[in-house]
Amino acid sequence: MRSRPLAMRPTLAIPVIVATIAAACVAALGATVTDLGPWYQSLAKPAWNPPDALFPLGWTLIYALITIAGVTAWRAARTSAQAEWVIGLFALNGFLNITWSILFFRLQRPDWAFFEVVALWLSILAMILYCGRFSKGAALLLVPYLGWVSFAGALNWAVVQLNAPFG
């Protein structure tokens, strides 16, 4: 009897499928609430603001890295409790990611979104530190995400400074 390759075993494919669906849902929800219409276009932005077309490309790469990191960490977890924490941290992060888009674009409150991006940044740091305890690879895959959100937070702050008050 021939055994299946490791990657083809159904129990090992489940985290890949779940993580991919979760990342796609977070990305789709975030994209749905992101409105680059007249309000956003009228905002004063710093000279170092990248072109709008760069953001979907950057987020696509980031979501791919998050997905791989989640699967890597989940598989590396030594106990079911560790695996549950991985899922919980990634779920919280996805919620915070969508919440930022809602605050910034739908509620048109970059000031509130800036405070929320701090929570998002801390959630990424928590994922890196927690996953790094048993998967250095997963932790390293999340570092670009931390950098991306650090840049986004600085950009968010600049938008607040250039356009306040809001509401």
Side-chain angles (χ1 to χ4, degrees):
M1 174 188 227
R2 232 172 55 174
S3 66
R4 291 184 184 177
L6 191 61
M8 298 301 290
R9 293 184 187 159
T11 56
L12 295 177
I14 291 171
V16 173
I17 294 166
V18 171
T20 302
I21 291 170
C25 287
V26 170
L29 285 169
T32 300
V33 299
T34 299
D35 182 1
L36 300 181
W39 174 80
Y40 176 77
Q41 295 304 323
S42 71
L43 289 173
K45 298 172 195 78
W48 46 273
N49 186 68
D52 292 341
L54 182 63
F55 288 97
L57 298 172
W59 276 114
T60 300
L61 176 60
I62 294 298
Y63 280 123
L65 293 173
I66 294 168
T67 302
I68 296 165
V71 171
T72 302
W74 189 86
R75 285 184 173 170
R78 295 189 271 295
T79 66
S80 60
Q82 283 180 335
E84 289 171 11
W85 269 97
V86 167
I87 292 167
L89 287 170
F90 278 74
L92 172 63
N93 179 265
F95 170 79
L96 291 170
N97 195 306
I98 294 165
T99 301
W100 182 89
S101 294
I102 291 169
L103 292 172
F104 192 99
F105 291 105
R106 288 293 173 191
L107 298 180
Q108 299 179 353
R109 293 303 303 250
D111 50 347
W112 294 352
F114 176 74
F115 291 105
E116 198 278 348
V117 83
V118 172
L120 176 60
W121 191 92
L122 289 170
S123 77
I124 300 165
L125 182 62
M127 291 189 316
I128 290 170
L129 294 175
Y130 185 75
C131 294
R133 293 170 49 193
F134 48 87
S135 175
K136 300 295 183 221
L140 288 173
L141 287 167
L142 292 168
V143 171
Y145 183 27
L146 188 66
W148 182 260
V149 170
S150 297
F151 176 78
L155 186 57
N156 188 157
W157 180 249
V159 167
V160 170
Q161 294 300 300
L162 292 168
N163 296 279
F166 295 96

